[in-house]
Amino acid sequence: MTAVQLPELPDLPGKRFPRRVPVRQILCLVPLLLVTVVAVRHRSVLAEGFGQLRTAEWPWLLVAVGATCLTWVAAAFTRQGAVVERLPRRRLLATQFAAGAANHLLPTGLGASAVNLRFMTVCGVPLARSSAALALYLLAEAVGRLGLLAALLVAFPDALRLGTLLPHGAVGPLFAAVGAVLVVAAGVLVFVRRLRTAVCSFLRTALGEARSVHARPARALALWGGSLAFPALQATGLAAVGLALGLPVPPVHMALAYLAATVAVALVPTPGGIGSVEAALIIALVAAGGPAAVATAVVLAYRIITVWLPLLPGALTLGALLRLKVI
């Protein structure tokens, strides 16, 4: 029986697997791309703001820069105070600096919240408790800002002409809109059982986290001390810029105008409040007695210091934290 000779098959080339797309490296470049887009869109504001800085008194500008840097320290204290676990200090501070840049590139509060939520989960805090700590931070920051504003309004009742801050007849529709939103939200919670269950579970987790935090005096002090220091330092920065440009308004009145303006635009979903914050600050400073031209110069210079100067290094820090898997 003769053996059957099979035909020789041609050598097949080795199977090539596609290279993995470096997703994390691409994400590192996204903040820089967003910074470029935002800067191009607001190039006229940047040019005018830097022009105002050239005519200012530099000692007061250095005070404003120092107050701005301390806001990241205050934010780090508040973030640590909102969670029981001890977070790495240097990474926490770097994360707040990066979160500031993310906050100016995404709708207000969303960027910083996402960065800090990711940071806490990487540090080993469960997602449910990280979300509860984030909610506690936002609550403390809002209470601190509103409490500081209320205290200044009581101490200086004539500092602002409040009638100029809101259009005539706008208060009634505003409260009606807020009431309608609350009624709709309550109705959804009543009739959608799954959503109601999720909300109740989150509230139980948040209340438990708040009790645990306040059972430790050091955490409670960091939480509430930082939540008061953060808006106070921001207001100090604006007052320092006002003094640098010769705005004829007392510094405390400028601080009160800043708090009132930021509270007024808190619900405006614009990236970092860009546009809405400038307009509200100018209106508030004019309501405090400042000339419109000087108030505009002060606001532009202040936003250059607090937003545009830290934006590029903040974006670079954000990219570095992504690459190092800190967030």
Side-chain angles (χ1 to χ4, degrees), residues 64-78 93 96-97 100 137 145 226 229-237 258 302 306 310:
V65 171
T68 300
C69 294
L70 288 176
T71 58
W72 301 315
V73 179
F77 269 95
T78 313
L93 183 59
Q96 302 320 302
F97 183 50
Y137 168 86
R145 189 175 297 271
F230 184 75
L233 287 167
Q234 289 181 320
T236 300
Y258 172 82
Y302 173 72
T306 58

Side-chain angles (χ1 to χ4, degrees), residues 182-283:
L182 293 177
V183 169
V184 171
V188 170
L189 290 177
V190 169
F191 292 105
V192 183
R193 182 179 178 181
R194 184 173 297 179
L195 180 61
R196 183 174 68 251
T197 302
V199 171
C200 291
S201 176
F202 174 76
L203 289 177
R204 284 194 296 269
T205 303
L207 290 174
E209 190 71 13
R211 284 195 297 267
S212 300
V213 164
H214 287 87
R216 301 190 177 195
R219 292 290 187 270
L221 179 62
L223 175 66
W224 295 106
S227 65
L228 284 172
F230 184 75
L233 287 167
Q234 289 181 320
T236 300
L238 178 67
V241 175
L243 292 172
L245 291 174
L247 183 68
V249 176
V252 177
H253 294 191
M254 285 190 273
L256 201 157
Y258 172 82
L259 294 171
T262 52
V263 168
V265 300
L267 299 178
V268 178
T270 57
I274 293 175
S276 59
V277 170
E278 283 86 350
L281 281 175
I282 292 170
I283 294 172

Side-chain angles (χ1 to χ4, degrees), residues 6-190:
L6 298 175
E8 295 184 2
L9 297 175
D11 293 335
L12 296 176
K15 187 177 181 181
R16 296 181 181 179
F17 295 94
R19 292 185 61 185
R20 294 180 60 186
V21 179
V23 178
R24 186 169 290 274
Q25 294 181 7
I26 294 175
L27 289 176
C28 295
L29 299 177
V30 170
L32 297 179
L33 178 61
L34 292 176
V35 168
T36 303
V37 172
V38 174
V40 170
R41 290 182 58 189
H42 297 84
R43 56 187 179 275
S44 60
V45 175
L46 283 170
E48 190 172 352
F50 277 110
Q52 299 297 339
L53 289 177
R54 287 197 298 267
T55 62
E57 297 182 13
W58 283 98
W60 286 115
L61 291 183
L62 293 178
V63 173
V65 171
T68 300
C69 294
L70 288 176
T71 58
W72 301 315
V73 179
F77 269 95
T78 313
R79 299 284 184 186
Q80 176 61 85
V83 67
V84 175
E85 286 83 355
R86 188 176 186 84
L87 302 175
R89 295 179 180 177
R90 294 181 180 177
R91 294 182 180 183
L92 177 60
L93 183 59
T95 301
Q96 302 320 302
F97 183 50
N103 215 36
H104 296 305
L105 299 174
L106 296 173
T108 305
L110 181 61
S113 298
V115 169
N116 279 284
L117 188 64
R118 177 63 182 168
F119 173 69
M120 286 186 286
T121 54
V122 170
C123 290
V125 183
L127 180 59
R129 292 185 51 237
S130 298
S131 302
L134 180 62
L136 181 58
Y137 168 86
L138 294 174
L139 176 62
E141 203 276 334
V143 170
R145 189 175 297 271
L146 289 171
L148 193 58
L149 174 61
L152 289 178
L153 283 174
V154 171
F156 304 94
D158 299 326
L160 287 177
R161 297 191 295 272
L162 295 177
T164 61
L165 295 178
L166 292 174
H168 180 69
V171 177
L174 179 62
F175 278 106
V178 173
V181 170
L182 293 177
V183 169
V184 171
V188 170
L189 290 177
V190 169

